[in-house]
Amino acid sequence: LAGRSVLEIACGTGYWTRFFAPRARRVLALDSARETLDIARSRMSSGQVSFQIGDAYDLPIQTPRFDAAFAGFWWSHIPLPRIPAFLHGLHAALEPGAIVVFLDNRYVEGSSTPLTEPDPDGNTYQIRPLADGSTHRILKNFPSRGALLQAVAPLASHPRVHEWPYYWALEYEVVGSAPEVSP
């Protein structure tokens, strides 16, 4: 992402932003929660980063378009039926040849929070307890290498999946303009 104009999706508290932003030309970091953006802003002193409340399913289209995109720990929270539309919206914000990088968790038996039964669309969930005693059902899908490559196949040139014991990364270059997605 060095030297690029980066659109970061679901930046959260800016954990990943602080690692790549110092080398990027500029970064627009989006998240839907004002509270997490406030934390992200406090972590960055760089002037090339702009933080903005935004919807990952309705991304800003700017001129010139971005030549890179990054999302850390976001893919696993996209409902499976929404992946094509999400990618269409992302690619509409990017120029052809842009670099895209996704990073997320792998499911590791005995380490990851157990999954609940899948819903009718195949999505899986985790029940996560908070310190206040409340519990929350969180969408958490763990895609296979094949599922990742298939999702980006019509959009990507040179897709590569990297896998480590607890994480995976998908990187590719955007091919042409974003294809039409049927509703």
Side-chain angles (χ1 to χ4, degrees):
L1 304 176
R4 294 188 175 264
S5 176
V6 182
L7 174 60
E8 183 181 11
I9 299 6
C11 71
T13 62
Y15 179 85
W16 296 107
T17 316
R18 64 187 171 163
F19 293 112
F20 68 82
R23 298 199 43 158
R25 186 172 69 249
R26 75 177 176 107
V27 176
L28 175 58
L30 300 176
D31 200 89
S32 63
R34 181 176 311 281
E35 296 81 6
T36 57
L37 284 175
D38 289 343
I39 295 167
R41 278 186 194 94
S42 73
R43 287 183 159 167
M44 294 299 304
S45 59
S46 173
Q48 78 262 27
V49 180
S50 299
F51 293 96
Q52 180 178 318
I53 290 179
D55 182 346
Y57 301 104
D58 186 21
L59 296 170
I61 308 300
Q62 299 182 354
T63 303
R65 291 188 284 175
F66 296 92
D67 63 355
F70 175 82
F73 296 80
W74 163 247
W75 186 285
S76 61
H77 298 292
I78 305 171
L80 296 174
R82 293 192 79 177
I83 290 173
F86 165 72
L87 289 172
H88 173 74
L90 173 61
H91 286 236
L94 302 174
E95 63 185 40
I99 300 296
V100 178
V101 178
F102 291 102
L103 175 69
D104 216 317
N105 302 100
R106 294 181 69 191
Y107 185 80
V108 178
E109 192 69 42
S111 177
S112 299
T113 302
L115 297 171
T116 64
E117 291 297 314
D119 68 17
D121 290 323
N123 294 298
T124 54
Y125 298 82
Q126 294 176 326
I127 305 299
R128 295 187 184 172
L130 296 183
D132 67 4
S134 64
T135 58
H136 301 270
R137 183 175 178 248
I138 306 296
L139 173 70
K140 188 71 173 175
N141 290 313
F142 293 93
S144 67
R145 174 189 206 92
L148 290 167
L149 292 171
Q150 182 179 358
V152 301
L155 311 165
S157 173
H158 308 100
R160 293 169 300 282
V161 176
H162 307 276
E163 295 177 293
W164 302 278
Y166 294 92
Y167 306 101
W168 59 262
L170 168 65
E171 62 177 307
Y172 62 90
E173 296 173 27
V174 173
V175 174
S177 58
E180 291 300 315
V181 173
S182 55

